Amino acid sequence: MTNTNTGGEASERTLNFIEQIVENDNAQRVWGLNERGVPKVHTRFPPEPNGYLHVGHAKSICLNFGLALRYQGKFNMRFDDTNPSKEEQEYVDSIIRDVKWITSAFDDAGAGFSAGSYDTGPAAGGLFYASNYFEQMYLFAEELIRKGKAYVCDLTGDEVSARRGKPGVPATSPHRDRPIEESLALFRDMRMGKFPNGARTLRAKIDLASPNFNLRDPVMYRIVHESHHNTGDAWCIYPMYDWAHGIEDSLEGITHSICTLEFEDHRPLYDWFIDAINEGRTDDGSGPWGRRIQHPQQIEFAKFRPTYTILSKRNLLKMVSERIVSGWDDPRMPTISGLRRRGYTPRAIRACMEDVGITKVESSIDIGRMENALRDHLNRVAPRAMGVLRPLKVVITNWPQGNVDDLDFVINPEDPAQPKRKTRFAREIYIERDDFMEAAEKGFFRLAVGQEVRLRWAYFITATGVVKDASGTITEVHATYDPATRGGDAPAGPDGQPLRKVKGTIHWVSADHATDAEVRLFDRLFVAEEPGTRTGNWADDLHPRSLEVARAKLEQSLSTAKVGDTFQFERLGYFRVDEDSVSGTLVLNRAVTLKDSRPAGESGKSKGAGAAGRMYSIAEAAHELKLKQEKLAAMLPGAGISDFASRTPAQLTLAEVRGLKDWIKKNPPTK
RNA sequence: UGGGGAUUGGUGUAACGGUAGCACGACUGACUCUGACUCAGUUAGUCUAGGUUCAAAUCCUAGAUCCCCAGCCA
């Protein structure tokens, strides 16, 4: 079996546990056949429109949409909009946009099966709103009251809390034996708006002593006098998630209701509600309550949890409202709209999700995996261009004044089918400041005085001297070029082999033909792998310089680039034209750098993210060693790490953690 | 202290009583007009302790650690 990291195209791999469940169900025809004559598979993505979608949601979309596609089923986009006080039309609009964008990664999904976006392709189930089922839900609720399975409770929120009980101590409710007719009348009065917010609730009559608190007579309806983005003022009672969700799935014919781990405790409730509705119903509808409704299967999986990121909508909202970022679509945000603006592609996001897989293990995903997936995709599709982020002027002193050369530039070496295009070269050019050293150090094979370098697709040049300002800063480099190297090839000898080699190739931009641009360089929003673990407040781990703005010089052809265009600037990374661009002033975002295998330090970046440089906080180390933090801290001196208390930051190296592991084996802690 | 989950190299993930494999990362090297890409190689793992078995990551027992649950949020 092979795994794929090549853009998420379907390939052979072992089935994940959800696919196994689906295939089992299919083999046993649990859900019957669909109109295509294949076993029915119907999934959905059910966000609440109370914020923008983030990468975590992308995983769920890919899972659910991918399942529908793989098994020739259907996928519903559904708003779980049961709480008018938190939901807004702006969020509805953004979610629709984002889901379409993510699902577009499934276009041309192979096997002659084209996907299209969620609402147009063969997997399209449609766009739905839970709020459109309010009337049906209400009818089901009355049915449960009449079956003696639900009752109106007069307790306030605080009173319910106070009476919730504890593990081993049952909850209490003074109204659970209220006569059916009385509950029915009160429930109708609730709907009529006869009571203020919070005065009464409808509760399911399940088990006040259940060890699972979700079953201690959960609230089904609460009174909320507020306008709803979809139903307006039609309702003043709104269903709770637990009551509503299973009904939504059932009504839409969902077969596999996939959600995240924290809802495992809710599954018995999900099942109870559907079973309660079905009690007294029959397959042919002949009973007193009519036809049975579908009972979807809830399946839970672990969330996508990237390092150096926070994902809860509440905290993302806080970052937006406190202006820590410029908005929900700030390119540093883990929101789908932020990733899109930064330059991520849906295919890269999908590939990352495929790479990471579906399990019930709450693992955290190295944010580098997302970056790798992006590089992998963009490397194959992004046109190359040249841009200089920190320009340093080079004067080619032996280049004829006023002369301009048109040179061939390869658009994408990964795609030889693409034609070449012309790039202008002249006497004055810009190169990257980092690509020049007055005196080359060992291992530095870019431009230096007396050292020859290749200008990509242009000429070999050798620096001859520098011009400095009063402070000693180099303002200009003088160099000579070799006319025999036009196009960037060294002249060949009689045997056809190049007569000389240059180790370095650098990028450049013609000064007279350059276009100015603002280039935004992003770093992680947080400096801690898990923001907030150190102090309990993620704000303490914010990266103080997660945005740097460069005044760049780009090759002339970029001046006509459009918003959304993405390029690889050779040797630098991938860049996307930002929405902030106005005519004449380009703004680009660096989506991700290229990988850099230069020695650490030389590239100006720290190379510590990998395993070798991995640092552990005391909490992480304690987790790794399966010890309590205090216990670990106490044993450090004995294990030969005596200076830990004085370290800043208080971290252990990977080697030390490994050493501790061995030491603990030999010296087991006392219980 | 009640209930529900989880635990395989640095990371992610396979193996469903029978060779612990794959991917990412890291490290070497080759190639290279991007210190990119590509290619080759190296590295490193079954939470612990018992038990069952010819054979255990897998089954049993006990324990450890982590996550979730007492909203009229979803």
Side-chain angles (χ1 to χ4, degrees):
Chain A
M1 94 203 61
T2 55
N3 210 327
T4 180
N5 193 24
T6 56
E9 265 71 35
S11 72
E12 289 307 309
R13 62 163 166 82
T14 50
L15 265 26
N16 66 48
F17 83 99
I18 295 181
E19 290 162 345
Q20 289 180 27
I21 291 171
V22 169
E23 295 205 358
N24 261 321
D25 288 354
N26 288 353
Q28 294 169 37
R29 297 289 188 271
V30 171
W31 307 102
L33 302 180
N34 67 16
E35 61 273 22
R36 275 192 253 275
V38 299
K40 187 180 167 196
V41 174
H42 203 150
T43 59
R44 103 266 97 120
F45 174 62
E48 182 187 18
N50 67 342
Y52 278 59
L53 261 26
H54 54 65
V55 269
H57 298 108
K59 180 178 180 182
S60 177
I61 297 165
C62 288
L63 207 210
N64 282 290
F65 190 80
L67 241 22
L69 213 51
R70 181 183 183 111
Y71 298 106
Q72 300 184 48
K74 292 257 187 258
F75 168 85
N76 288 7
M77 166 67 221
R78 179 177 74 228
F79 286 103
D80 206 356
D81 53 352
T82 57
N83 185 354
S85 59
K86 291 190 173 181
E87 296 154 11
E88 292 176 23
Q89 189 61 38
E90 179 197 347
Y91 298 138
V92 171
D93 298 339
S94 77
I95 288 168
I96 290 175
R97 192 164 56 236
D98 289 347
V99 174
K100 283 190 176 181
W101 188 68
I102 292 289
T103 53
S104 72
F106 290 77
D107 284 344
D108 312 306
F113 199 63
S114 172
S117 157
Y118 78 84
D119 60 344
T120 56
L127 174 61
F128 301 89
Y129 292 84
S131 49
N132 287 150
Y133 312 138
F134 281 170
E135 186 62 37
Q136 179 61 256
M137 289 174 189
Y138 176 84
L139 262 19
F140 282 141
E142 281 207 354
E143 180 176 328
L144 257 52
I145 296 171
R146 287 187 286 151
K147 286 174 174 172
K149 292 179 177 297
Y151 61 95
V152 170
C153 179
D154 302 350
L155 258 25
T156 65
D158 288 344
E159 287 167 337
V160 172
S161 279
R163 290 163 167 266
R164 180 96 41 202
K166 286 197 283 257
V169 181
T172 57
S173 165
H175 309 292
R176 88 190 302 258
D177 294 318
R178 168 124 69 192
I180 287 171
E181 286 310 320
E182 193 179 318
S183 276
L184 211 45
L186 282 168
F187 188 48
R188 287 170 180 163
D189 287 345
M190 281 167 65
R191 177 180 184 170
M192 298 295 288
K194 293 193 179 174
F195 310 116
N197 288 350
R200 287 191 163 85
T201 57
L202 183 71
R203 290 228 253 167
K205 193 169 178 178
I206 305 180
D207 179 6
L208 287 173
S210 174
N212 179 351
F213 277 65
N214 296 127
L215 265 21
R216 316 251 269 215
D217 287 12
V219 172
M220 296 165 63
Y221 275 94
R222 75 283 216 188
I223 299 169
V224 181
H225 291 273
E226 241 176 283
S227 291
H228 185 278
H229 71 94
N230 181 38
T231 58
D233 294 318
W235 295 87
C236 64
I237 57 172
Y238 290 91
M240 298 288 290
Y241 166 87
D242 284 310
W243 164 239
H245 201 80
I247 295 174
E248 297 159 22
D249 287 338
S250 179
L251 260 23
E252 291 175 16
I254 300 303
T255 54
H256 304 272
S257 173
I258 299 166
C259 61
T260 45
L261 252 26
E262 69 268 32
F263 293 102
E264 277 183 308
D265 284 351
H266 296 243
R267 185 167 7 110
L269 187 47
Y270 185 103
D271 292 337
W272 188 93
F273 278 131
I274 303 256
D275 290 342
I277 291 169
N278 274 335
E279 195 174 296
R281 291 170 177 262
T282 55
D283 287 333
D284 61 3
S286 60
W289 303 101
R291 194 180 298 274
R292 292 174 65 84
I293 64 169
Q294 176 159 315
H295 190 151
Q297 180 181 2
Q298 177 176 308
I299 306 167
E300 308 85 13
F301 73 100
K303 286 179 166 148
F304 182 77
R305 220 162 49 89
T307 53
Y308 298 98
T309 305
I310 59 172
L311 237 40
S312 85
K313 281 191 202 166
R314 208 184 92 240
N315 291 330
L316 294 180
L317 175 60
K318 199 172 169 197
M319 286 207 284
V320 172
S321 58
E322 295 187 0
R323 314 293 305 163
I324 293 168
V325 294
S326 64
W328 287 99
D329 66 347
D330 186 302
R332 294 166 294 178
M333 288 283 270
T335 51
I336 292 175
S337 47
L339 293 170
R340 175 172 52 228
R341 192 171 163 193
R342 179 166 179 148
Y344 269 79
T345 61
R347 292 198 101 83
I349 293 170
R350 179 188 170 199
C352 182
M353 298 309 162
E354 301 263 354
D355 185 35
V356 154
I358 303 294
T359 66
K360 299 186 73 157
V361 186
E362 292 178 78
S363 48
S364 73
I365 305 299
D366 187 338
I367 190 77
R369 277 172 181 262
M370 287 186 57
E371 299 170 348
N372 283 330
L374 216 216
R375 290 188 185 105
D376 188 58
H377 182 216
L378 257 19
N379 176 50
R380 283 175 286 124
V381 300
R384 310 287 124 121
M386 288 201 283
V388 174
L389 260 26
R390 297 173 185 86
L392 174 63
K393 184 174 277 185
V394 176
V395 180
I396 318 282
T397 51
N398 61 337
W399 184 271
Q401 287 280 5
N403 194 21
V404 173
D405 198 356
D406 272 330
L407 298 159
D408 283 329
F409 188 94
V410 172
I411 292 178
N412 188 346
E414 303 291 319
D415 184 3
Q418 296 222 37
K420 291 177 178 170
R421 62 186 170 76
K422 296 289 184 184
T423 304
R424 302 224 134 154
F425 184 87
R427 183 178 158 93
E428 296 195 349
I429 61 170
Y430 292 109
I431 65 166
E432 209 68 56
R433 278 204 109 82
D434 286 352
D435 286 338
F436 178 77
M437 282 184 90
E438 192 170 359
E441 289 171 354
K442 190 172 180 296
F444 180 87
F445 43 85
R446 287 161 275 159
L447 188 64
V449 174
Q451 181 160 303
E452 188 170 50
V453 76
R454 172 189 291 114
L455 297 176
R456 177 82 156 157
W457 306 124
Y459 293 93
F460 288 9
I461 60 169
T462 306
T464 54
V466 299
V467 177
K468 295 182 182 177
D469 65 12
S471 67
T473 306
I474 296 170
T475 55
E476 198 174 290
V477 174
H478 288 184
T480 56
Y481 85 109
D482 178 356
T485 55
R486 184 173 189 273
D489 290 310
D495 60 350
Q497 293 303 303
L499 287 173
R500 65 182 193 272
K501 287 207 164 194
V502 286
K503 190 106 167 76
T505 300
I506 63 173
H507 58 279
W508 55 274
V509 166
S510 169
D512 285 343
H513 308 98
T515 181
D516 290 310
E518 173 181 330
V519 178
R520 297 173 181 168
L521 309 171
F522 307 108
D523 210 328
R524 293 165 178 160
L525 253 182
F526 294 93
V527 293
E529 242 182 75
E530 296 194 32
T533 41
R534 194 167 43 93
T535 62
N537 180 7
W538 52 260
D540 295 331
D541 292 321
L542 276 165
H543 187 143
R545 289 175 307 279
S546 54
L547 168 64
E548 185 195 336
V549 176
R551 300 297 315 167
K553 299 282 187 184
L554 311 180
E555 64 171 282
Q556 201 166 33
S557 66
L558 271 300
S559 61
T560 55
K562 297 186 301 295
V563 169
D565 286 352
T566 302
F567 304 91
Q568 183 200 94
F569 289 170
E570 296 222 6
R571 306 208 305 132
L572 296 177
Y574 297 96
F575 296 78
R576 174 183 178 275
V577 181
D578 189 76
E579 280 75 358
D580 282 352
S581 300
V582 288
S583 86
T585 331
L586 272 181
V587 177
L588 286 103
N589 299 319
R590 182 173 67 192
V592 66
T593 61
L594 252 31
K595 250 173 65 174
D596 184 357
S597 63
R598 280 180 281 171
E602 195 191 318
S603 60
K605 291 182 303 214
S606 69
K607 296 188 66 173
R614 163 113 197 238
M615 299 299 288
Y616 289 80
S617 70
I618 192 81
E620 288 166 333
H623 179 219
E624 188 69 26
L625 299 166
K626 305 182 196 321
L627 284 170
K628 294 230 183 281
Q629 279 186 39
E630 312 82 69
K631 197 162 253 182
L632 173 61
M635 68 170 53
L636 284 175
I641 301 173
S642 50
D643 66 330
F644 184 78
S646 60
R647 286 186 192 181
T648 43
Q651 290 181 325
L652 295 161
T653 64
L654 176 62
E656 285 173 330
V657 173
R658 284 177 174 172
L660 280 164
K661 208 177 220 170
D662 292 337
W663 188 86
I664 290 166
K665 266 185 189 162
K666 290 177 202 132
N667 307 275
T670 47
K671 300 283 172 197

